[in-house]
Amino acid sequence: MAFTLQIGQKAPDFNLPGVEGKDCSLASFKDAKLLVVVFSCNHCPYVVGSEERMKQFFADYSPKGVAMVAINSNETVDHPGDSFDSMKSRAKEKGKQTSCLNNLRQMGLALFLYADDNQDRLPPPEFDPDRILGSQPWRGYLLFWDPPPKTGQPANPKFAVNLGLLYVGNYLRTPGIFYCPSLKHKKDLLIVFEKKYFESAKVPWPMYAIDGQVNTTYTYFPQTDVPAKLPSEANRGWTQVAAKQTQLSSQRTMMTDLIYTWGTLAHTSGKNPYGLNVLWGDGHINFCTTRAAFDPKLWGGTGGNPISNVTPGDNTPGWRTIVSLLRP
């Protein structure tokens, strides 16, 4: 029987199985300053359409002590897609995306703190064609870089680059934040990104793995909204790199999920990428699905291994075009 609670009335208790394998009740949230209860389901287009707003709400208010729980109030006879097993499957993937977005949020806050302590300057990006002649996009995923190969050795803090400066500078000391939980690439790839490759039973993270490198699953490329210096590049929508926080733009990316090859995209649906998690210059984050940015021709095919001067990580024009097409 449907009923409506009055403002100020005590919430009725519940005890329901949760998608994480534990039962959930009001007592589960006893330490929260405020609990938001959302009645939800898997199939409703209104629910699906509001998911991103709910995720953003939680990301904004959870640091202030607000908790949120979603209860599936639907039946499964007419809507089998709302079954508990379907809920667990959907929650698993959505949870990975949310975790990834939270990673970007924490890195964004750490970048702003770094800039505040360094006269507005951001960590110098290793991929900056105007500052470093010949630099390529793949340098944007480096955390430590100390060539020649030193596989299996602890990373030297003196060789921290990009977001690695947040780690050695004590702005961000949790290694897992540098890695998207959804990126699970094939074992035979030439270049690896998952955290497990940069640690061992004897050497904790960060450990050199490839050519004296420690990689992340995100790409650091802070942009301004100032057109590129060369007219031929400006005409393609490319912009200049930001050296300072005050040069960043809300319409341009500061950091994204890894843009390297099609096969190393973290969030995919079947064979087709359906978006990238993006940290924009004003610090807000979202899941960007600008269709033009996912033209397979820009990605040099759908494989996982890099192809020199073809796949984005080794093809500056293709990479910069992809990034220039992304919009909030």
Side-chain angles (χ1 to χ4, degrees), residues 10-15 24-31 35 37 69:
K10 185 178 179 180
D13 198 7
F14 58 86
N15 190 7
C24 185
S25 67
L26 275 182
S28 304
F29 306 95
K30 59 182 176 62
D31 295 327
L35 173 64
V37 180
V69 61

Side-chain angles (χ1 to χ4, degrees), residues 145-207:
W145 192 25
D146 184 16
K150 298 176 176 65
T151 303
Q153 296 182 29
N156 189 331
K158 294 191 301 183
F159 294 99
V161 296
N162 297 322
L163 303 175
L165 293 171
L166 301 181
Y167 180 77
V168 299
N170 292 318
Y171 294 95
L172 207 56
R173 294 293 294 181
T174 305
I177 290 175
F178 297 102
Y179 297 92
C180 173
S182 288
L183 198 156
K184 304 292 183 183
H185 52 58
K186 296 180 179 179
K187 295 181 179 180
D188 59 351
L189 290 187
L190 295 175
I191 306 296
V192 292
F193 299 95
E194 293 178 60
K195 178 175 175 285
K196 64 182 180 182
Y197 294 105
F198 303 100
E199 58 189 359
S200 70
K202 294 183 178 179
V203 181
W205 190 95
M207 179 189 79

Side-chain angles (χ1 to χ4, degrees), residues 55-324:
K55 286 160 60 178
Q56 187 64 55
F57 175 88
F58 182 72
D60 289 340
Y61 287 94
S62 59
K64 300 177 182 180
V66 176
M68 178 182 286
V69 61
I71 297 176
N72 187 343
S73 55
N74 215 350
E75 50 82 26
T76 59
V77 175
D78 294 323
H79 302 288
D82 284 327
S83 69
F84 188 57
D85 286 340
S86 296
M87 286 171 57
K88 290 192 291 184
S89 177
R90 182 174 176 78
K92 183 177 181 180
E93 180 54 34
K94 289 295 180 181
K96 289 179 180 179
Q97 288 187 32
T98 300
S99 176
C100 183
L101 285 167
N102 287 338
N103 286 351
L104 287 171
R105 178 177 293 277
Q106 292 186 66
M107 285 187 278
L109 291 173
L111 282 167
F112 292 152
L113 290 172
Y114 178 98
D116 190 54
D117 288 342
N118 289 274
Q119 294 77 50
D120 194 42
R121 293 195 171 275
L122 297 166
E126 276 296 307
F127 175 46
D128 184 346
D130 291 330
R131 183 175 62 90
I132 306 174
L133 189 64
S135 63
Q136 290 187 305
W138 61 266
R139 290 170 67 163
Y141 62 64
L142 298 172
L143 293 174
F144 295 83
W145 192 25
D146 184 16
K150 298 176 176 65
T151 303
Q153 296 182 29
N156 189 331
K158 294 191 301 183
F159 294 99
V161 296
N162 297 322
L163 303 175
L165 293 171
L166 301 181
Y167 180 77
V168 299
N170 292 318
Y171 294 95
L172 207 56
R173 294 293 294 181
T174 305
I177 290 175
F178 297 102
Y179 297 92
C180 173
S182 288
L183 198 156
K184 304 292 183 183
H185 52 58
K186 296 180 179 179
K187 295 181 179 180
D188 59 351
L189 290 187
L190 295 175
I191 306 296
V192 292
F193 299 95
E194 293 178 60
K195 178 175 175 285
K196 64 182 180 182
Y197 294 105
F198 303 100
E199 58 189 359
S200 70
K202 294 183 178 179
V203 181
W205 190 95
M207 179 189 79
Y208 291 128
I210 304 163
D211 297 334
Q213 297 173 201
V214 177
N215 301 335
T216 177
T217 60
Y218 300 100
T219 302
Y220 176 57
F221 186 66
Q223 298 182 82
T224 70
D225 55 8
V226 179
K229 295 179 179 179
L230 295 177
S232 60
E233 296 181 352
N235 290 338
R236 302 176 75 169
W238 300 358
T239 59
Q240 296 181 32
V241 175
K244 298 181 178 181
Q245 180 185 344
T246 49
Q247 296 173 339
L248 295 168
S249 168
S250 62
Q251 297 299 305
R252 295 290 179 172
T253 64
M254 178 163 46
M255 193 188 316
T256 67
D257 282 337
L258 183 67
I259 302 177
Y260 185 61
T261 64
W262 188 290
T264 56
L265 282 162
H267 303 288
T268 58
S269 176
K271 295 182 179 180
N272 301 313
Y274 58 82
L276 289 164
N277 285 315
V278 175
L279 171 66
W280 304 93
D282 62 353
H284 86 277
I285 53 174
N286 73 350
F287 190 60
C288 182
T289 57
T290 310
R291 183 178 295 274
F294 299 101
D295 182 345
K297 294 179 182 178
L298 290 174
W299 293 79
T302 58
N305 276 320
I307 302 173
S308 182
N309 298 318
V310 176
T311 45
D314 300 281
N315 176 12
T316 296
W319 195 95
R320 294 195 72 177
T321 298
I322 291 170
V323 173
S324 71

Side-chain angles (χ1 to χ4, degrees), residues 23-49:
D23 287 349
C24 185
S25 67
L26 275 182
S28 304
F29 306 95
K30 59 182 176 62
D31 295 327
K33 293 182 179 178
L34 180 72
L35 173 64
V36 177
V37 180
V38 178
F39 292 96
S40 179
C41 66
N42 286 348
H43 85 280
C44 174
Y46 296 104
V47 171
V48 174

